[in-house]
Amino acid sequence: MSLDLVTAGESHGPALVAILTGVPAGLRLERAAIDADLARRREGYGRSPRQKLEADEVEVLAGLRHGVTLGTPLALLIRNRDHENWAWGMSAWPPAGEPSGKGTQPVTLPRPGHADLAGAQKYGHDDVRNALERASARQTASQVAAGAVAKALLVEIGVSVEGRVLEIGGATDDEAMQAATDEARADRDTLGGVVEVVANGVPPGLGSYAEKRTRLDGRLAAALMGIQAVKGVEIGDGFALARRRGSGAHDEIEPDRTRGSNRAGGVEAGVSNGEPVVVRAAMKPLPTLMRPLGSVDLATGEPGQALVERSDVQAVEALAVVAEAAVAWELARAAREKFGGDALQDFVAAHGAYLARIDPQPKP
Ligand code: EPS
């Protein structure tokens, strides 16, 4: 049994949904902790006015009783407050009455860098909105809620996961990052950046070299690449390792089996090695510009300018939270595979027995 996550929900539809399977029974969840992560994801200097509209509070529809997981599918729901402005345009059923609110006119001017063109082509949509609504990064809210559950499970075996911003628009200190965001906003442009996630307390032995698909580094890379706008992922010293000699690229092993350095980012041969897991993700500038890029009108074939929708100037601060959730989810999944556990006690006991077995201290 592993952890699995299925999500659904359009950006301006009624709600976002997440169904989590494989969460052990007996795990206590705190509503405030999940909502706090949802709030962290919404905050950020570069975000749009949409974030003031959304409250993002988790509702639990199944799998939880009196705050404790039942070991059954856990169903989470986050409502889109903005949906009330799109009730006609994003109605699931043929809408009643005259068109009103937003989303009543088809979108035919795809934005370069978004899913608009490829999505319309792939799925045969005449209205690009049918592609962009799901491709929107709004759905990362459901992934953050799932990540909060994963973090609660990881805490039980002493693992903590934290994401932070390293760069926005090339700037690396807070003041410069804000200034870069202000400048881009004034120029009606957008920015990208780099985030880092560090997981402490990860035991050696998560993931496996046995198969390509079981490698923890490959799984973490896929988890991060799967987030909207991420174009690069690095584990440990990543690309810089390619420019070093072996003598300066690896982490020598101490008698107690720890390392004096962590250039590998806590993963060797696709297996965690007991050092902190360190991953970074690079985000491209957001594709919705207030000063639109060149495009084509799909209805007429004429050159045009891409759709202008309200958008964020940058969402790098949000990515730090989303990437944290993605890493937590993948580590929790790998831990669940290694330690099993229908009941939380079994999961925790298996982790303890494993650590005792690999304890490097000589046995009396
Ligand atoms: C997004 C466009 C904006 C963002 C949205 C992602 O939405 P809107 O056009 O409704 O203002 O605010 O992100 C969120 C709503 C969110 O909660 O993260 C996009 O096109 O990806």
Side-chain angles (χ1 to χ4, degrees), residues 36-47 51 314-315 317-318 321:
D37 274 353
L38 291 172
R40 282 171 65 216
R41 193 198 69 92
R42 276 201 322 277
E43 288 160 5
Y45 194 65
R47 301 287 261 155
Q51 302 309 326
Q314 52 85 5
E317 295 124 310
V321 181

Short mmCIF file of all heavy atoms in Angstrom, two decimals, residues 36-47 51 314-315 317-318 321:
data_model
loop_
_atom_site.label_atom_id
_atom_site.label_comp_id
_atom_site.label_asym_id
_atom_site.label_seq_id
_atom_site.Cartn_x
_atom_site.Cartn_y
_atom_site.Cartn_z
N ALA A 36 -3.43 26.96 7.66
CA ALA A 36 -2.26 27.85 7.73
C ALA A 36 -1.39 27.68 6.49
O ALA A 36 -0.86 28.66 5.94
CB ALA A 36 -1.45 27.57 9.00
N ASP A 37 -1.23 26.45 6.02
CA ASP A 37 -0.45 26.23 4.79
C ASP A 37 -1.17 26.83 3.59
O ASP A 37 -0.54 27.40 2.69
CB ASP A 37 -0.19 24.74 4.57
CG ASP A 37 1.05 24.26 5.33
OD1 ASP A 37 1.75 25.12 5.90
OD2 ASP A 37 1.31 23.05 5.34
N LEU A 38 -2.50 26.71 3.56
CA LEU A 38 -3.26 27.31 2.45
C LEU A 38 -3.09 28.83 2.46
O LEU A 38 -2.96 29.45 1.41
CB LEU A 38 -4.74 26.93 2.56
CG LEU A 38 -5.05 25.45 2.30
CD1 LEU A 38 -6.51 25.14 2.62
CD2 LEU A 38 -4.74 25.08 0.86
N ALA A 39 -3.05 29.41 3.65
CA ALA A 39 -2.85 30.87 3.75
C ALA A 39 -1.44 31.26 3.32
O ALA A 39 -1.25 32.24 2.59
CB ALA A 39 -3.12 31.33 5.18
N ARG A 40 -0.46 30.46 3.72
CA ARG A 40 0.94 30.74 3.30
C ARG A 40 1.03 30.73 1.77
O ARG A 40 1.76 31.52 1.18
CB ARG A 40 1.89 29.67 3.84
CG ARG A 40 2.25 29.80 5.30
CD ARG A 40 3.01 28.55 5.75
NE ARG A 40 4.28 28.42 5.08
CZ ARG A 40 4.82 27.24 4.71
NH1 ARG A 40 4.20 26.11 4.92
NH2 ARG A 40 5.99 27.21 4.13
N ARG A 41 0.33 29.81 1.13
CA ARG A 41 0.39 29.72 -0.33
C ARG A 41 -0.21 30.96 -1.00
O ARG A 41 0.21 31.38 -2.07
CB ARG A 41 -0.37 28.47 -0.79
CG ARG A 41 -0.14 28.08 -2.26
CD ARG A 41 -1.22 27.14 -2.76
NE ARG A 41 -2.48 27.86 -2.86
CZ ARG A 41 -2.89 28.47 -3.94
NH1 ARG A 41 -2.20 28.41 -5.05
NH2 ARG A 41 -4.03 29.15 -3.94
N ARG A 42 -1.20 31.55 -0.35
CA ARG A 42 -1.88 32.72 -0.94
C ARG A 42 -1.09 34.00 -0.76
O ARG A 42 -1.26 34.95 -1.52
CB ARG A 42 -3.24 32.93 -0.28
CG ARG A 42 -4.34 32.11 -0.83
CD ARG A 42 -5.69 32.71 -0.50
NE ARG A 42 -5.79 33.31 0.82
CZ ARG A 42 -6.05 32.63 1.94
NH1 ARG A 42 -6.21 31.34 1.89
NH2 ARG A 42 -6.13 33.26 3.08
N GLU A 43 -0.29 34.02 0.32
CA GLU A 43 0.43 35.25 0.61
C GLU A 43 1.57 35.43 -0.38
O GLU A 43 1.90 34.52 -1.12
CB GLU A 43 1.00 35.19 2.04
CG GLU A 43 -0.07 35.32 3.09
CD GLU A 43 0.39 34.79 4.43
OE1 GLU A 43 1.57 34.41 4.56
OE2 GLU A 43 -0.45 34.73 5.33
N GLY A 44 2.17 36.58 -0.36
CA GLY A 44 3.30 36.80 -1.26
C GLY A 44 3.14 38.14 -1.92
O GLY A 44 2.03 38.55 -2.29
N TYR A 45 4.27 38.77 -2.12
CA TYR A 45 4.29 40.15 -2.58
C TYR A 45 3.82 40.28 -4.03
O TYR A 45 3.30 41.30 -4.43
CB TYR A 45 5.73 40.67 -2.43
CG TYR A 45 5.85 42.15 -2.55
CD1 TYR A 45 5.26 42.98 -1.60
CD2 TYR A 45 6.54 42.73 -3.60
CE1 TYR A 45 5.36 44.35 -1.70
CE2 TYR A 45 6.65 44.10 -3.71
CZ TYR A 45 6.05 44.90 -2.75
OH TYR A 45 6.15 46.26 -2.85
N GLY A 46 3.99 39.20 -4.79
CA GLY A 46 3.70 39.30 -6.22
C GLY A 46 2.32 38.84 -6.62
O GLY A 46 1.99 38.79 -7.81
N ARG A 47 1.46 38.53 -5.63
CA ARG A 47 0.17 37.90 -5.95
C ARG A 47 -0.87 38.91 -6.39
O ARG A 47 -0.80 40.09 -6.11
CB ARG A 47 -0.31 37.10 -4.74
CG ARG A 47 0.67 36.05 -4.33
CD ARG A 47 0.71 34.88 -5.28
NE ARG A 47 -0.10 33.79 -4.77
CZ ARG A 47 -0.64 32.86 -5.53
NH1 ARG A 47 -0.51 32.90 -6.83
NH2 ARG A 47 -1.33 31.88 -5.00
N GLN A 51 -6.25 36.76 -4.65
CA GLN A 51 -5.91 36.12 -3.38
C GLN A 51 -6.67 36.73 -2.21
O GLN A 51 -6.86 36.09 -1.18
CB GLN A 51 -4.40 36.16 -3.13
CG GLN A 51 -3.60 35.50 -4.23
CD GLN A 51 -4.09 34.10 -4.55
OE1 GLN A 51 -4.54 33.38 -3.66
NE2 GLN A 51 -4.04 33.71 -5.81
N GLN A 314 4.37 37.75 -9.87
CA GLN A 314 5.19 36.54 -9.69
C GLN A 314 4.54 35.72 -8.57
O GLN A 314 3.84 36.25 -7.72
CB GLN A 314 6.66 36.88 -9.41
CG GLN A 314 6.91 37.88 -8.29
CD GLN A 314 6.97 37.24 -6.90
OE1 GLN A 314 6.92 36.03 -6.75
NE2 GLN A 314 7.07 38.07 -5.88
N ALA A 315 4.77 34.43 -8.62
CA ALA A 315 4.18 33.55 -7.60
C ALA A 315 5.27 32.65 -7.01
O ALA A 315 5.04 31.49 -6.68
CB ALA A 315 3.06 32.72 -8.20
N GLU A 317 6.87 33.03 -4.16
CA GLU A 317 6.63 32.75 -2.73
C GLU A 317 5.61 31.61 -2.59
O GLU A 317 5.73 30.76 -1.71
CB GLU A 317 6.12 34.01 -2.01
CG GLU A 317 7.17 35.13 -1.98
CD GLU A 317 6.66 36.42 -2.59
OE1 GLU A 317 6.12 36.36 -3.73
OE2 GLU A 317 6.80 37.48 -1.96
N ALA A 318 4.63 31.60 -3.46
CA ALA A 318 3.64 30.51 -3.45
C ALA A 318 4.30 29.19 -3.83
O ALA A 318 4.02 28.15 -3.22
CB ALA A 318 2.50 30.83 -4.41
N VAL A 321 5.83 27.18 -1.05
CA VAL A 321 4.87 26.42 -0.24
C VAL A 321 4.37 25.19 -1.00
O VAL A 321 4.25 24.09 -0.43
CB VAL A 321 3.68 27.32 0.17
CG1 VAL A 321 2.69 26.58 1.04
CG2 VAL A 321 4.19 28.58 0.88
#
